[in-house]
Amino acid sequence: MNDLTPDREERSAGLKGLGCSRKRVEDARFTQGKGNYVDDVKLPGMLHGDFVRSPYAHARVVSVNKDAALALDGVVAVLTAEDLAPLNLHWMPTLAGDKQMVLADGKVLFQGQEVAFVVARDRYVAADAVELVEVEYEELPVITDPFESLKSDVVLREDLAGQTEGPHGPRKHHNHIFTWEQGDETATNQVLDDAEVVATESMYYHRTHPCPLETCGSVASMDKVNGKLTLWGTFQAPHVVRTVASLLSGIEEHNIRVISPDIGGGFGNKVGVYPGYVCSIVASIVTGQPVKWVEDRMENLMSTAFARDYWMTGKIAATKDGKITGLHCHVTADHGGFDACADPTKFPAGFMNICTGSYDIPVAYLGVDGVYTNKAPGGVSYRCSFRVTEAVYFIERMIEVLAIELDMDAAELRRINFIKKEQFPYQSALGWEYDSGDYHTAWDKALKTVDYEGLRKEQADRVEAFKRGETRKLMGVGLSFFTEIVGAGPVKNCDILGMGMFDSCEIRIHPTGSAIARLGTISQGQGHATTFAQILASEIGISADNIAIEEGDTDTAPYGLGTYGSRSTPVAGAAAAMAGRKIRAKAQMIAAYLLEVHDDDVEFDVDRFAVKGAPERFKTMKDIAYAAYNQAIPGIEPGLEAVSYYDPPNMTYPFGAYVCVMDIDVDTGVPEIRRFYALDDCGTRINPMIIEGQVHGGLTEALAVALGQEISYDKMGNVKTGTLMDFFLPTAWEVPNYETDHTVTPSPHHPIGAKGVGESPHVGGVPCFSNAVQDAFRAFGLRHTNMPHDHWRIWQTANDLGLHE
Ligand code: CDP
């Protein structure tokens, strides 16, 4: 007989499991400056690498003279493509099936491209030596416009000359990479021909950059005595880096240990493999010393991982009363000098084919043409799941344009076209099966909370006041409704470099009833150590405070595909739940033995197994863990451990309804965000406080992208926004107060019903901010204007509409 205090509710609260706004356990070290980032790694005898980079966007490299640099005291080596060629490391494979120069091999294709790698005693000497490397260039014609590129005689990728087939099918031109088509174009064109109304629009989703607080870097340490390479780096996918490093270097995989320590934000920037990683490894092998490479802010903005750069043209067909009948989308995708997009192999334009959005569109077509230009490679999913941001921006702008065409309210147009609750699981025209959703409830809640009708009335009054000359401020009501697609796998559809996109969790319960769990993912600020422990707490009945979470060390963590695309909760979170269930199954047998009843006669109750119908007869998980190690139980192995590799049956489809109310001063072009309401539905909520933090962060990055952040080039291919003086990062000054809200529509296939959330606010936020700007000018005839809506461009829009006369 046992004491039944504390009661069930108190025991449940003590677990700090699902639904608890548990404080982030990571923050103690982050707020006290005790984080351990790549640049904090300091090893005896460590050398420092720095790149000589091309000032030209397109040029032949005639010669590289290292003599003066090598003569500088403290310089140990200067590596060029010639040095890497015998090792076959002067080029490397990209995640998109293309290849990329590690160091310039005969020519350069973008400004900032890596030409030589200087290795020196310290970073200062390395930087001085970079200045002493003499590179002779012969300038070549520069192409920064993908449309011009497809017409030009200039061959950008001479290494591919004559190749009419690429990794994603036929190439139509020497600067063309691939054509990717989804859906039924003939049927879509037929619907467009027959439609009562067709709205057409072209839009440019500008090139931008994830710009995390910490830039990319690595420390390679080759121990020649035992043949083991240890590599610390800012890697969002450490296991994949280990496999790629093994394949490239020939070092057996078990002799490579990759460690992702604390990471200061990723947002897609740290998914790809960069020349710096390869060069630090080679330099360590060559010199026999550890070599550190950490890029500076300008290098980060200029050369690693751009995002977006999609030119999108849409045609949307509808009946006169607003029922959408078909959608046609074509994208010209500027991939820069190498196709280094970070997408699952079979999706060269990522999940752009979610561009039918949250709407029941019977017929659709998507065509994407990838093109080479003289810009940096990348094409990463900046806080989104593989081009979902582009897709959602596209459809949410097309809806607004259609509303203008139909002279209809854009909120109502959305409502009549939403996929209905009873249609889930919903098969989209472009091939996805949406798992669950209740869009109408979310939309109604959002519109009611912000008093949508009241806002429209106020806006109409403002237009009249403006026309009477009583105000110079217009009011915009930005709407967006988004559906994300997160949690890649399933393995049958999604792989990266041939590795299926599952994820994993291994859990070990110690005899005293505390635990350690290791996962194949890696947090970059999302709070995994806090939330994964909560999932496990609810599954195994041990308090989250007694469960340590470890990620990012390939010598200890089970193999996983890493963290990006909001996949951690849908995939590794599911693996954690499944590993927890394995523990519970074994614990049940142990409990039954200890209680001297049949396995089926005990049931799990928060933190214990109790005899059915006799709750006072129980064994806590702590008792069970102790017994697992200390008592011989017939037919049961000692110990309490489990591992789960989880291949998700489907993606999860979080969604949300956002409203932004904005005042715009037409004379200065300055927008003032008066209100931002964000309703997110990510299924079962693990930690509401962390979700809120994710929403705040995602919205702030959305504000940045919509209202000013861009990587822009001049005609010569010079990066015009390569410093934080020019590249917009919002501060507390620009960021409004966000109101967050939620509905809960669990995923039917995820073990705990959770969907991802980290990227949703970015995906939904960008069109919402942009729609607010555009909506302010709707009454004056604006149909569409491209982002980023910085003050100058907003002023220009007002001017073009004659509002300054
Ligand atoms: O892959 P990534 O960690 O970037 O994204 P995520 O899976 O959306 O998770 C971001 C953070 O939000 C993690 O700490 C999750 O555990 C947490 N989260 C949550 O508390 N509830 C959800 N339904 C989804 C995520």
Side-chain angles (χ1 to χ4, degrees):
M1 288 288 192
N2 289 297
D3 184 1
L4 284 176
T5 54
D7 67 21
R8 196 164 194 277
E9 213 171 295
E10 287 163 333
R11 287 189 283 121
S12 211
L15 287 185
K16 301 191 185 168
L18 292 182
C20 168
S21 280
R22 182 180 184 226
K23 282 192 179 162
R24 286 166 38 113
V25 294
E26 298 89 341
D27 286 351
R29 72 175 188 281
F30 292 150
T31 54
Q32 294 177 50
K34 302 283 185 205
N36 181 37
Y37 298 89
V38 169
D39 207 22
D40 293 319
V41 176
K42 293 184 175 73
L43 302 174
M46 189 170 74
L47 302 172
H48 296 259
D50 197 0
F51 278 111
V52 176
R53 293 179 181 273
S54 169
Y56 297 107
H58 195 198
R60 220 163 280 294
V61 178
V62 179
S63 64
V64 182
N65 185 343
K66 327 171 177 177
D67 295 349
L70 283 172
L72 186 70
D73 183 34
V75 173
V76 179
V78 178
L79 301 178
T80 61
E82 250 176 43
D83 303 307
L84 301 188
L87 306 167
N88 209 18
L89 286 175
H90 54 323
W91 288 74
M92 62 180 185
T94 70
L95 296 181
D98 195 2
K99 54 182 183 157
Q100 176 179 349
M101 290 177 212
V102 173
L103 292 172
D105 184 21
K107 72 186 292 198
V108 286
L109 285 155
F110 63 94
Q111 188 183 51
Q113 187 175 330
E114 300 80 1
V115 176
F117 189 66
V118 173
V119 186
R121 188 178 57 215
D122 63 41
R123 183 71 203 265
Y124 301 98
V125 175
D128 287 347
V130 162
E131 300 297 318
L132 295 175
V133 176
E134 291 161 19
V135 187
E136 193 187 335
Y137 297 95
E138 181 188 302
E139 283 185 71
L140 295 168
V142 173
I143 306 173
T144 55
D145 174 356
F147 299 99
E148 197 191 306
S149 185
L150 285 179
K151 286 186 258 154
S152 173
D153 292 337
V154 177
V155 180
L156 297 179
R157 289 289 298 275
E158 289 163 5
D159 58 298
L160 300 179
Q163 284 189 25
T164 51
E165 277 290 317
H168 307 295
R171 298 174 65 219
K172 296 191 280 214
H173 178 270
H174 50 251
N175 295 333
H176 179 248
I177 309 172
F178 63 81
T179 298
W180 188 52
E181 292 183 290
Q182 298 282 290
D184 186 338
E185 188 168 29
T186 314
T188 306
N189 284 340
Q190 190 60 54
V191 167
L192 286 162
D193 286 347
D194 297 345
E196 289 173 4
V197 181
V198 175
T200 304
E201 192 53 73
S202 292
M203 58 195 88
Y204 176 47
Y205 199 145
H206 57 290
R207 181 176 272 238
T208 183
H209 193 282
C211 192
L213 197 58
E214 178 202 27
T215 59
C216 297
S218 57
V219 177
S221 180
M222 183 72 211
D223 179 341
K224 288 196 172 170
V225 177
N226 62 27
K228 184 136 186 161
L229 170 71
T230 308
L231 182 65
W232 290 261
T234 46
F235 309 131
Q236 289 184 233
H239 285 92
V240 182
V241 169
R242 185 185 68 185
T243 302
V244 173
S246 174
L247 293 172
L248 285 179
S249 66
I251 302 171
E252 302 92 331
E253 204 164 351
H254 72 281
N255 272 331
I256 301 179
R257 179 180 184 189
V258 175
I259 302 171
S260 293
D262 285 328
I263 298 183
F267 315 116
N269 188 222
K270 294 162 181 170
V271 173
V273 175
Y274 296 121
Y277 303 157
V278 179
C279 288
S280 62
I281 296 173
V282 174
S284 180
I285 294 172
V286 169
T287 63
Q289 307 276 88
V291 176
K292 177 186 277 186
W293 164 74
V294 177
E295 64 183 0
D296 66 24
R297 180 60 60 193
M298 286 173 71
E299 292 178 296
N300 180 255
L301 287 172
M302 278 172 75
S303 64
T304 59
F306 80 87
R308 330 289 194 228
D309 219 344
Y310 263 25
W311 299 82
M312 308 186 281
T313 300
K315 291 180 215 152
I316 189 162
T319 60
K320 269 192 250 150
D321 48 9
K323 186 79 193 84
I324 300 170
T325 51
L327 178 74
H328 189 287
C329 175
H330 183 266
V331 180
T332 299
D334 185 339
H335 287 216
F338 307 96
D339 184 6
C341 286
D343 293 315
T345 307
K346 291 179 201 139
F347 299 86
F351 301 157
M352 182 66 202
N353 56 333
I354 191 91
C355 65
T356 50
S358 314
Y359 310 103
D360 184 15
I361 303 181
V363 188
Y365 166 80
L366 166 73
V368 183
D369 282 293
V371 185
Y372 291 122
T373 60
N374 290 121
K375 295 175 175 178
V380 300
S381 331
Y382 170 8
R383 206 167 185 149
C384 81
S385 187
F386 310 114
R387 303 284 186 180
V388 178
T389 301
E390 289 89 324
V392 171
Y393 183 73
F394 168 78
I395 185 67
E396 289 304 286
R397 283 303 304 144
M398 289 310 295
I399 290 283
E400 294 285 318
V401 170
L402 180 62
I404 293 170
E405 193 78 37
L406 291 164
D407 194 20
M408 197 171 169
D409 176 73
E412 184 55 19
L413 179 59
R414 283 177 172 84
R415 187 201 307 279
I416 62 179
N417 286 290
F418 280 146
I419 301 162
K420 295 188 189 73
K421 190 179 170 184
E422 56 276 16
Q423 287 177 279
F424 291 93
Y426 174 80
Q427 196 67 43
S428 84
L430 292 176
W432 298 111
E433 188 184 292
Y434 294 27
D435 61 346
S436 63
D438 183 354
Y439 300 165
H440 287 93
T441 300
W443 198 228
D444 289 346
K445 189 175 184 190
L447 298 188
K448 190 162 176 254
T449 309
V450 299
D451 180 20
Y452 181 67
E453 275 179 26
L455 288 174
R456 285 296 180 203
K457 163 123 199 8
E458 187 189 346
Q459 184 186 39
D461 292 345
R462 184 77 72 83
V463 168
E464 291 312 313
F466 183 88
K467 286 180 180 163
R468 289 194 302 269
E470 290 164 14
T471 179
R472 295 297 291 161
K473 284 191 179 170
L474 294 176
M475 177 179 157
V477 182
L479 303 174
S480 84
F481 196 100
F482 67 91
T483 299
E484 254 250 86
I485 169 173
V486 300
V491 170
K492 64 178 188 302
N493 298 331
C494 294
D495 70 88
I496 286 206
L497 290 178
M499 275 160 288
M501 296 179 74
F502 59 86
D503 229 289
S504 57
C505 173
E506 180 200 276
I507 172 153
R508 192 172 293 176
I509 317 284
H510 306 312
T512 51
S514 70
I516 181 158
R518 298 188 171 98
L519 296 103
T521 41
I522 174 73
S523 187
Q524 305 123 40
Q526 297 93 328
H528 291 179
T530 308
T531 50
F532 285 144
Q534 291 182 247
I535 296 176
L536 285 164
S538 291
E539 290 293 338
I540 61 177
I542 290 176
S543 169
D545 289 343
N546 292 328
I547 303 173
I549 300 291
E550 242 185 53
E551 298 176 306
D553 183 340
T554 58
D555 263 11
T556 54
Y559 203 104
L561 271 283
T563 293
Y564 41 86
S566 287
R567 67 184 297 279
S568 303
T569 305
V571 195
M578 297 312 273
R581 286 174 196 185
K582 288 184 186 175
I583 294 281
R584 217 159 80 183
K586 184 167 177 183
Q588 179 164 1
M589 293 192 283
I590 298 172
Y593 173 82
L594 297 175
L595 291 161
E596 298 179 351
V597 295
H598 189 271
D599 293 356
D600 293 340
D601 292 334
V602 290
E603 62 190 352
F604 186 67
D605 179 27
V606 182
D607 58 351
R608 63 191 56 180
F609 276 96
V611 176
K612 285 181 186 164
E616 70 288 353
R617 290 192 62 210
F618 64 82
K619 290 288 171 192
T620 64
M621 286 302 290
K622 218 171 159 174
D623 302 331
I624 295 166
Y626 195 73
Y629 289 92
N630 296 300
Q631 199 160 334
I633 303 173
I636 297 179
E637 285 178 11
L640 198 50
E641 298 186 12
V643 57
S644 169
Y645 284 83
Y646 188 79
D647 177 11
N650 191 4
M651 311 267 185
T652 66
Y653 295 75
F655 57 92
Y658 291 180
V659 182
C660 174
V661 185
M662 194 183 267
D663 288 323
I664 291 182
D665 185 324
V666 296
D667 295 321
T668 59
V670 175
E672 187 192 319
I673 299 152
R674 210 195 313 161
R675 189 167 186 189
F676 199 105
Y677 170 87
L679 179 151
D680 275 276
D681 191 321
C682 56
T684 304
R685 290 152 57 85
I686 302 162
N687 183 323
M689 187 166 62
I690 286 197
I691 292 173
E692 191 170 61
Q694 294 286 307
V695 173
H696 286 191
L699 288 177
T700 301
E701 286 186 320
L703 177 149
V705 170
L707 300 185
Q709 188 175 85
E710 66 177 323
I711 295 288
S712 73
Y713 290 81
D714 68 12
K715 289 262 172 228
M716 305 289 289
N718 295 308
V719 183
K720 294 197 290 179
T721 48
T723 77
L724 294 185
M725 291 292 285
D726 311 294
F727 184 83
F728 172 49
L729 270 195
T731 62
W733 178 255
E734 289 92 358
V735 175
N737 180 46
Y738 300 120
E739 288 168 59
T740 56
D741 202 350
H742 65 275
T743 52
V744 177
T745 313
S747 166
H749 61 80
H750 188 282
I752 61 164
K755 303 179 177 187
V757 77
E759 293 158 340
S760 296
H762 190 69
V763 168
V766 175
C768 192
F769 285 112
S770 177
N771 282 345
V773 174
Q774 319 229 25
D775 182 68
F777 295 105
R778 176 173 167 174
F780 299 89
L782 181 69
R783 197 179 155 94
H784 174 78
T785 180
N786 284 328
M787 296 186 293
H789 308 295
D790 56 20
H791 301 175
W792 158 244
R793 286 182 175 99
I794 293 178
W795 183 91
Q796 191 72 52
T797 299
N799 203 49
D800 291 347
L801 294 170
L803 302 183
H804 294 147
E805 283 153 17

